[in-house]
Amino acid sequence: MADIINLLPDNIANQIAAGEVIQRPSSAVKELLENAIDAGATEIQLIIKDAGKELVQVIDNGGGMSETDARMCFERHATSKIQSIEDLFQIRTMGFRGEALASIAAVAQVEMKTRKTGTELGTYIEIDNSAVKIQEPCQTAEGTSIAMKNLFFNVPARRNFLKSNAAEMRHIVDEFIRIALAYPQLQFVLTSNNQQLFHFEKGSLKQRIIAILGPHYNARLVTVKETTDYMDVYGFVGKPETAKKTRGDQFFFVNNRFIKSPYLHHAVMNAFKDLIPVDSFPLYVLFIDLDPAHVDINVHPTKQEIKFDDEKVMYAFVQSAVKHALAQFNVTPTLDFDLDPGIQQLDAVNKPFTEAQQNLSTHTSLYKTFSQANQAHMIDKSTNSSNLRHWKDLYEGGNSDRYTQEQPHLEHPDTVSKPAPAYDSQPQSTASVIDERWQDTAVDQKVPVQVHQQYILSQIKSGFILIDQQAAHERILYERYQRALQESPMPTQQSLFPQTLHLQPVDAAVISEMLPDLQLLGYDLEPFGNHTFIVRGTPADLQHNNEQASIEGLLEQFKHFSNELKINKREQLVRSMARNNAIAAGKVLAPREMQNIIDELFACSMPNVSPGGKFTFISFKLTDLARMFERGQ
């Protein structure tokens, strides 16, 4: 019987390895940038063309490689980082497995120029589909320049699975920013299609965060720094007002390596408990330094998921460090009366409470009754009725002579008591506490009624319907925006004073991609360079005038839909706008506004569900009510 097990050829083995290591252009960006850092570079340049599909090139001024090393680095499992099994548990470098360059060479055409520090000539190597085509001496600067061209040219099926250029570029920017945050002491430059997107000079961590997130974060960062023998935690967290509805500004680094850890994220969320809304996410850039022996970084191909030998200690320490930082910098809700001049005009603020008035108030029987422990609900029956009648004087600074003259029967004309109605001694009837608005509207049965500022109750011939005001308005806006994209653009309300909108790099890329559709939906935006846009107008039907809040809310919703749903970009945009601009629960509506929602909802092509699939209304029939109240039985 013939043997059937054979060793795979190197080029096939490399392609299989590349399936784990190089999933998209951003994967190659990550590996090449990490190699440049490990080479001791202080200046690193990343050049991208066609979102990495045509070219990914990294140029560094690191130590470079000799002729032999330049050839060996493209072999499988070739690394300078590990010599023995013990080294595997003391890794402090970024790359170490020796798979990156071999995997890149298996799925792309690679050109590399490198020159070792102190040598006169460098080495030029050209590799195509894992095969070395050219290797020769060359003139080049000290350091390494490696270019990956035509990614997946020999694996068409994988190339077809790549996303749009804008989507792939967002992944590249994500990887670039993570590494730039981890090494603020290095210079990083990113150029895409001959246009410079980022230029980060060497500096401190705070300077790098501000350079990435924007200057408005300068006064919104809180320093975190805790040191122990076991581990160190340092970095920055954003003040509660920087929290957003979607993730994106959360960065954890362990030994300068970016990681994703839901467990540690939960620790930070607990530290922010009661400071931010439940559905919001705080900004944080946190670094954890500990002995590599206590962490396993090789449990996932991307090395972004790691394992700690004692996760409970890590959780408690991170939570404590963030809590301590927030407390130390007094990041708690406060009342600043200096901000509102109207408050300064109140009597309680600008009129002193004299010692005579204090003695007068504290000696009354009414004060004594309420100041005794566990007696707040008790009122002495023997208390003089006139004292009770003048209880407001305790707070309004009434005439003190009224009490000092001890004239219990002297009454102010405005406070003369009137005969009490006969029913005062009886419990208040249920009918008397019905909401006055209900009483007003119940006369005309066609007028809709708002229930708890969330639902609209409207009578129909067979009974009544209960409408979710937010879901209904979302459906109305969704179909309105769909028509704007397909038939007639929406009108724009031009701003008297155009605003400048500063965005994060990833958000700026999203807006740039959506600009044509945004214009059809009523937004007038103009790119202004350096991730900035000029907002000249917004949709005319927006109920608020804060252009920046409108666009930031739209971005948050768009990122939410991008994470949750597999739908095209235009559909995501329309749903995001509808969700962001819909009337929220808790908003008080006038009868006319409620009626407009009802009329517009039932003019929709699909009035019964919101764009997300939630019911917009529920109907109740008279027969159902009769059965519930056991009528006719």
Side-chain angles (χ1 to χ4, degrees), residues 15-23 27 31 97 103 158 300-302:
Q15 281 201 12
I16 294 173
E20 289 186 347
V21 181
I22 309 300
Q23 300 172 353
S27 306
E31 300 291 349
R97 292 179 300 176
S103 298
R158 293 194 62 189
H300 192 273
T302 65

Side-chain angles (χ1 to χ4, degrees), residues 166-441:
E168 295 298 341
M169 195 63 202
R170 286 202 301 272
H171 287 288
I172 290 173
V173 169
D174 280 341
E175 293 292 352
F176 180 81
I177 285 176
R178 290 166 183 170
I179 293 177
L181 276 174
Y183 293 89
Q185 71 276 18
L186 307 183
Q187 175 184 298
F188 290 90
V189 178
L190 170 57
T191 303
S192 175
N193 296 332
N194 300 318
Q195 179 183 2
Q196 189 177 99
L197 299 183
F198 301 100
H199 187 111
F200 298 141
E201 291 291 347
K202 305 171 186 176
S204 65
L205 175 59
K206 185 173 184 179
Q207 289 172 329
R208 183 60 53 87
I209 293 173
I210 293 171
I212 292 173
L213 300 182
H216 56 287
Y217 279 96
N218 190 24
R220 300 181 179 182
L221 297 176
V222 176
T223 304
V224 178
K225 188 171 180 62
E226 297 288 344
T227 302
T228 67
D229 294 336
Y230 181 77
M231 60 180 285
D232 298 337
V233 175
Y234 61 94
F236 294 89
V237 296
K239 292 183 178 180
E241 62 263 27
T242 64
K244 296 182 178 180
K245 296 292 184 182
T246 57
R247 295 178 174 90
D249 296 337
Q250 294 78 38
F251 300 90
F252 262 120
F253 299 89
V254 173
N255 294 341
N256 271 32
R257 185 189 303 276
F258 174 79
I259 67 161
K260 295 179 179 178
S261 174
Y263 191 65
L264 294 183
H265 172 76
H266 190 270
V268 177
M269 293 295 291
N270 261 351
F272 274 89
K273 191 175 181 180
D274 300 328
L275 292 178
I276 62 175
V278 177
D279 58 346
S280 296
F281 301 93
L283 156 70
Y284 59 80
V285 181
L286 295 176
F287 291 77
I288 300 174
D289 285 350
L290 76 165
D291 188 337
H294 296 307
V295 58
D296 184 359
I297 60 178
N298 203 27
V299 299
H300 192 273
T302 65
K303 298 181 288 234
Q304 289 185 1
E305 296 178 15
I306 64 177
K307 290 291 185 182
F308 300 101
D309 60 358
D310 194 337
E311 290 190 331
K312 291 183 179 179
V313 170
M314 303 294 296
Y315 184 100
F317 198 82
V318 169
Q319 179 179 338
S320 175
V322 175
K323 270 190 174 181
H324 182 243
L326 294 173
Q328 186 177 3
F329 285 86
N330 298 319
V331 181
T332 54
T334 59
L335 292 176
D336 190 351
F337 293 109
D338 293 335
L339 298 180
D340 191 348
I343 294 179
Q344 297 292 337
Q345 305 303 318
L346 296 177
D347 289 349
V349 177
N350 62 17
K351 290 185 179 180
F353 194 42
T354 65
E355 185 175 351
Q357 288 175 316
Q358 293 181 36
N359 292 332
L360 172 65
S361 299
T362 56
H363 284 80
T364 62
S365 58
L366 182 63
Y367 176 88
K368 292 177 181 178
T369 300
F370 277 90
S371 61
Q372 294 175 8
N374 303 320
Q375 295 296 314
H377 62 290
M378 297 291 294
I379 296 180
D380 188 358
K381 295 182 179 180
S382 63
T383 301
N384 193 302
S385 60
S386 65
N387 283 348
L388 293 178
R389 193 174 298 118
H390 301 298
W391 65 271
K392 287 186 178 181
D393 291 336
L394 288 173
Y395 303 97
E396 296 179 350
N399 186 0
S400 60
D401 292 341
R402 179 176 301 147
Y403 299 99
T404 56
Q405 293 174 1
E406 296 184 359
Q407 296 178 344
H409 300 291
L410 180 63
E411 296 176 342
H412 192 278
D414 293 338
T415 59
V416 175
S417 60
K418 299 177 181 179
Y423 57 79
D424 267 2
S425 59
Q426 300 297 325
Q428 192 176 14
S429 67
T430 304
S432 66
V433 297
I434 293 179
D435 194 326
E436 292 181 1
R437 289 177 300 165
W438 186 289
Q439 292 179 340
D440 292 340
T441 58

Side-chain angles (χ1 to χ4, degrees), residues 52 67 80 85 87 111 154 164 177 244 314 342 366 400 414 419 436 456 507 579 633:
E67 182 180 357
S80 61
I85 189 65
D87 295 337
E111 294 179 6
N154 54 350
S164 67
I177 285 176
K244 296 182 178 180
M314 303 294 296
L366 182 63
S400 60
D414 293 338
E436 292 181 1
I456 299 171
D507 291 342
R579 175 76 61 85
Q633 293 184 7

